[in-house]
Amino acid sequence: MEGKIANLLDIAQWKLTPYQILVLGFAGLILGGAFLLMMPMASATGQRLSFIDAVFTATSAVCVTGLVVVDTGTYFSLFGQLVVVSLIQIGGLGIMAMSTLMAILIGKRINLRQRLVMQEALNQLSVAGVVRLMQYMIKATLLIEFIGGTILAIRWYQELGSKAFYFGYWHAVSAFCNAGFDLFGSVTGPFSSITNYVNDIVVNLVISLLFILGGIGFTVIADIWTNRRFSRFSLHTKVVLITTLILMIFGAIVFFLLEYDNPDTLANLSWQGKILGSYFQSMTPRTAGYNTLDIGKLTDATLFFIVLLMFIGASPSSTGGGIKTTTASVMGAAIWALIRGRNDAELFERRIPYSIIYKAFSVMLISAVLVIFITMMLSITEKQPFLKLLFEATSAFGTVGLSTGITPTLTTTGKLWLVLTMFAGRVGPVTLALALALKTRKGNLQYPEGKIIIG
Amino acid sequence: MEGKIANLLDIAQWKLTPYQILVLGFAGLILGGAFLLMMPMASATGQRLSFIDAVFTATSAVCVTGLVVVDTGTYFSLFGQLVVVSLIQIGGLGIMAMSTLMAILIGKRINLRQRLVMQEALNQLSVAGVVRLMQYMIKATLLIEFIGGTILAIRWYQELGSKAFYFGYWHAVSAFCNAGFDLFGSVTGPFSSITNYVNDIVVNLVISLLFILGGIGFTVIADIWTNRRFSRFSLHTKVVLITTLILMIFGAIVFFLLEYDNPDTLANLSWQGKILGSYFQSMTPRTAGYNTLDIGKLTDATLFFIVLLMFIGASPSSTGGGIKTTTASVMGAAIWALIRGRNDAELFERRIPYSIIYKAFSVMLISAVLVIFITMMLSITEKQPFLKLLFEATSAFGTVGLSTGITPTLTTTGKLWLVLTMFAGRVGPVTLALALALKTRKGNLQYPEGKIIIG
Ligand SMILES: [K+]
Ligand SMILES: [K+]
């Protein structure tokens, strides 16, 4: 009898696939978080958050999205805010990273099944080295968050007093995890994000450095730390760094050109403000979610441009979402090869295998279909301009968290769609990894090739 | 000396690539058409059409798009209308079909270069049989247009008198070529398309049958005519027929569900009108351009759904545009295989080669990038809701011609972007065919494979 209960508690006996464990883990964490957020002590006024808003907030935190239906800084009590930041930290590092931490803490040997789960969670190239990476990852995360939080605390001390330390570390976690949640509603008005600091070099650089480090992926950080010189980096690291750099420069230039005469955004700022504003808004769609300019006041062209940047998102095995920078690069290389009449898509003098090109295009198309479907569903229930709905759906899918401001006004149906989208956006790449892991299973028979005309 | 002039006139001596000949042919036809449309005798009032509007109209006619800045039925004189329908017929059949016709008429032997050009134009699988197909194509076109036009003339005789024959054949050409131009502005008010016949079975069926036949491609028509039974059809024919059928049924159901309670469209119609209206609006994005309901009054969800249908468009080597039904099917099969963990994408018990999957995804992505870019450009200059601009850009790219009604209000810059888009949408697939024809050229060296993390 005792043995049976022990078996029931031993998750390995459930015969769940790694994929199922991940999905159930995320879902459980969300429901647990929603339960805590619904407690009267979680709100500043002692009132009870509705179930849908609690689930929305918990999903947004666990999936490190940052879309909010209530303002985090004013609605929640200290307890509520600590629940949110805990969900962010757990969600950001990933459930599996947490269970590894616990496993390491109790000194338990890690078996192959758990390693495989971790591999899914991190989307790694091989099982080998996953445990080492996981330990490294947690140490690096805490170190980076501590340093970033300390600098922010010093910066905000004059302004906020002793609250600056709480704000500093809280926002350092939120920024590094690419969560985009903020507490400045209590300082500069609800849903204001960090728009008060559009001109501030320290806040801009620390926050953006935190989310860039969180968004380029731990493998890349480890590679840079170990090898130091660009020529020694792995292909993956090179592609991530160059793509991130290109998106940053290109994004900032386009943003500047589209907004420089917009009186609600760049037009009335100093040159420092214009440059910092363009830089920050070009980086935040990769998928941080903080904003220093009012997203709702951007021009339509800029909003659509940000939709594209959000769709691409961050880099693999990071705290960020989207189809990923590497996916975009591989598709770019494939099309470039096609246009130039080459047989092989190449990046940094390496040939990209067909299977990876196939995967990249598939990830993109499945993601596009999802975003399109959700936008259509939203357009049925929500009385909002189409572009704002597309923006909201892409932001949810990419776990970005930027919004034109419509999130709190959504109907319950609309909120439910976004909960699903945030969840799918966070878990999705894992599903695809699973699908590709199965790819080696052979069919019973192979049909002859068929000809078909394309395009 | 005489020999030199003869050489100059012999286009083969120019050493142009087939691709260049096609592009120059289209461009020349457009400029010639614009010149004719600018003549005072082309307009009903004798006034001169502006250069940009003339180029827009000629491009729209030659590329069989159907977007109009002036109402064809009221603005143009009989001469102007005949210029438009001639441009449609020439554009629809393709410049190369016309030059083949001429070659056949003067009994000249067709050399390999010309055959290759024709192959590009028709996007055929092999050079063999292209000439036969071309002859067949022209005969079939004229026969189908004659039959369709006669039925329409009989239907409209009571209403329009002797003008019914002119209307019948004019609209039969426009419908079969998937041009979407109409003359009913003079009967039911400018830009009304065939909205007056939303309840009319004859008009609905004849017009839709004409554009379906024009849009499924001549190879498919020939295959059906020759082989009669589905099991004997080529893979290409099977895929085109089933995809068209699925899009029709699925499209009509979605359209009905999204619009049944819209008082401006389906709500006040009889059941016959509801069914015909759903059927017709589900088919016209494939890329006919006629509409029996006011597109400007559809809900946002429906408009976006039609954007997707327009993006897919018609079938290869037809008078229609878009990324093509086969491209969509191949991508669908590829993703289905991926999800089910299969090695091979399969359609009708045939394996789809990787090269075709690669091409399908590339065609789709290049097309999406183009539509997105044009929409962004339009959103900078035009003061219109984003969705209407996306709709307009997709309609132009897919050479569909449906519009929410904003075309005549566009700025000159906006019109120029759409001219480019219509041209690119019509010529684009050929460019890609060219790119893939070059694909067999080997690079100097092959790099080793590189690993990269996707998604
Ligand atoms: K985020
Ligand atoms: K058309």
Side-chain angles (χ1 to χ4, degrees), chain B residues 136-316:
Chain B
Y136 174 86
M137 188 175 111
I138 292 165
K139 282 184 203 161
T141 298
L142 296 177
L143 182 67
I144 292 169
E145 287 173 353
F146 176 75
I147 296 171
T150 307
I151 300 174
L152 287 175
I154 294 168
R155 164 65 188 80
W156 285 328
Y157 189 73
Q158 211 178 357
E159 206 173 316
L160 303 171
S162 60
K163 204 167 65 169
F165 286 94
Y166 175 57
F167 267 52
Y169 295 119
W170 202 99
H171 287 93
V173 172
S174 180
F176 183 75
C177 294
N178 278 264
F181 278 83
D182 71 275
L183 302 175
F184 283 95
S186 60
V187 181
T188 52
F191 307 110
S192 55
S193 191
I194 54 170
T195 49
N196 203 30
Y197 301 100
V198 60
N199 266 310
D200 191 294
I201 293 185
V202 175
V203 173
N204 268 279
L205 290 192
V206 173
I207 295 271
S208 65
L209 210 62
L210 281 169
F211 69 64
I212 290 168
L213 284 173
I216 59 173
F218 295 101
T219 40
V220 173
I221 297 176
D223 195 4
I224 296 172
W225 191 260
T226 316
N227 293 311
R228 305 293 158 115
R229 274 169 51 194
F230 190 82
S231 58
R232 288 195 215 141
F233 293 163
S234 71
L235 172 64
H236 178 77
T237 302
K238 287 177 182 169
V239 171
V240 165
L241 289 180
I242 295 301
T243 313
T244 304
L245 194 70
I246 290 173
L247 286 175
M248 178 180 96
I249 295 169
F250 174 72
I253 291 171
V254 172
F255 186 91
F256 177 82
L257 292 176
L258 292 175
E259 291 293 326
Y260 79 97
D261 60 351
N262 182 346
D264 292 324
T265 57
L266 295 186
N268 297 325
L269 292 177
S270 64
W271 269 100
Q272 181 181 316
K274 283 188 217 291
I275 291 168
L276 282 176
S278 300
Y279 160 77
F280 198 90
Q281 262 60 234
S282 153
M283 291 308 290
T284 188
R286 187 148 310 91
T287 60
Y290 280 126
N291 52 293
T292 62
L293 291 165
D294 188 343
I295 300 296
K297 288 182 176 150
L298 299 173
T299 65
D300 277 6
T302 313
L303 283 180
F304 191 45
F305 180 64
I306 291 181
V307 164
L308 302 178
L309 291 179
M310 293 195 298
F311 187 70
I312 295 175
S315 302

Side-chain angles (χ1 to χ4, degrees), chain A residues 93-342:
Chain A
L93 277 172
I95 292 164
M96 284 310 116
M98 276 295 131
S99 64
T100 319
L101 177 65
M102 283 183 284
I104 291 164
L105 287 178
I106 37 175
K108 198 176 149 190
R109 205 180 149 275
I110 293 162
N111 63 30
L112 184 63
R113 169 170 288 269
Q114 279 170 304
R115 279 174 194 265
L116 281 171
V117 172
M118 277 181 269
Q119 195 191 348
E120 290 288 339
L122 288 168
N123 196 8
Q124 278 308 297
L125 297 170
S126 69
V127 178
V130 163
V131 174
R132 207 155 17 103
L133 179 76
M134 199 72 82
Q135 290 172 285
Y136 175 86
M137 187 175 111
I138 291 164
K139 282 184 202 162
T141 298
L142 296 178
L143 182 67
I144 292 169
E145 287 173 352
F146 176 74
I147 295 171
T150 307
I151 300 174
L152 287 175
I154 294 168
R155 165 64 188 81
W156 285 328
Y157 189 74
Q158 210 176 0
E159 207 173 317
L160 304 170
S162 60
K163 207 168 62 167
F165 285 95
Y166 176 57
F167 268 51
Y169 296 120
W170 203 98
H171 287 93
V173 172
S174 179
F176 183 75
C177 293
N178 277 264
F181 278 83
D182 71 275
L183 302 175
F184 283 95
S186 60
V187 181
T188 52
F191 307 109
S192 54
S193 191
I194 54 170
T195 49
N196 203 30
Y197 301 99
V198 60
N199 265 310
D200 191 295
I201 292 185
V202 174
V203 173
N204 268 277
L205 291 192
V206 173
I207 296 270
S208 66
L209 210 62
L210 281 169
F211 68 65
I212 290 169
L213 284 173
I216 58 173
F218 295 101
T219 40
V220 172
I221 297 177
D223 196 3
I224 296 172
W225 191 261
T226 316
N227 292 309
R228 305 291 159 112
R229 275 170 49 194
F230 190 82
S231 59
R232 288 194 215 142
F233 294 162
S234 71
L235 173 64
H236 178 77
T237 301
K238 286 178 182 170
V239 171
V240 165
L241 290 179
I242 295 301
T243 313
T244 303
L245 194 69
I246 290 173
L247 286 174
M248 177 180 96
I249 295 169
F250 174 73
I253 291 172
V254 172
F255 185 91
F256 177 81
L257 292 176
L258 292 175
E259 291 292 327
Y260 79 96
D261 60 352
N262 183 345
D264 292 324
T265 57
L266 294 186
N268 296 325
L269 293 176
S270 65
W271 269 99
Q272 181 181 317
K274 283 189 219 289
I275 292 168
L276 282 176
S278 300
Y279 159 77
F280 197 90
Q281 261 62 233
S282 153
M283 291 308 291
T284 189
R286 187 149 311 91
T287 61
Y290 280 125
N291 51 294
T292 61
L293 291 166
D294 188 343
I295 300 296
K297 289 184 175 148
L298 299 174
T299 66
D300 277 8
T302 313
L303 284 180
F304 191 45
F305 180 65
I306 292 181
V307 165
L308 302 179
L309 291 179
M310 293 196 297
F311 187 70
I312 295 175
S315 302
S317 61
S318 75
T319 57
I323 64 166
K324 304 293 178 323
T325 52
T326 48
T327 308
S329 299
V330 165
M331 290 190 298
I335 286 183
W336 182 240
L338 195 76
I339 290 171
R340 286 180 63 219
R342 296 252 173 189

Side-chain angles (χ1 to χ4, degrees), chain A residues 326 343 351 439 447-448 450 453 455, chain B residues 326 343 351 439 447-448 450 453:
Chain A
T326 48
N343 273 332
R351 182 159 46 90
K439 222 191 126 203
Y447 291 117
I453 313 175
Chain B
T326 49
N343 273 331
R351 181 160 46 91
K439 222 189 128 205
Y447 292 117
I453 313 174

Side-chain angles (χ1 to χ4, degrees), chain B residues 64-66 178-180 287-289 399-401:
Chain B
V64 293
T65 308
N178 278 264
T287 60
T399 70
V400 182

